[in-house]
Amino acid sequence: MGAIEYRGYRGAVRYSAEDRLVHGRILGMDDVVNFEGADVDELEQAFHEAVDDYLALRGKLTSR
């Protein structure tokens, strides 16, 4: 299992050979927030979007 970080949030990532995708879950949040991508670029983009969306929903996003 690997990790990724953005805006102070960490995501745990795992490769699924069956799905041929990298799946992740953002750690340290009260809610369950998942993301996935077919490659590293997609995974990173999905992670950033998931964090930004979560913060926007919580009213904590000030600027990108």
Side-chain angles (χ1 to χ4, degrees):
M1 186 178 309
I4 189 170
E5 190 170 327
Y6 174 69
R7 292 189 177 263
Y9 288 93
R10 293 179 52 84
V13 298
R14 179 179 300 160
Y15 176 69
S16 170
E18 182 179 327
D19 298 329
R20 299 188 52 84
L21 291 171
V22 183
H23 300 272
R25 179 175 178 180
I26 301 176
L27 305 172
M29 292 183 169
D30 294 332
D31 302 304
V32 176
V33 181
N34 297 308
F35 55 95
E36 66 182 35
D39 57 37
V40 174
D41 291 332
E42 277 187 27
L43 178 75
E44 187 175 75
Q45 180 66 33
F47 175 59
H48 290 189
E49 288 175 4
V51 170
D52 288 344
D53 289 348
Y54 177 81
L55 293 174
L57 284 171
R58 295 295 206 171
K60 296 180 180 178
L61 185 62
T62 55
S63 64
R64 287 188 177 201

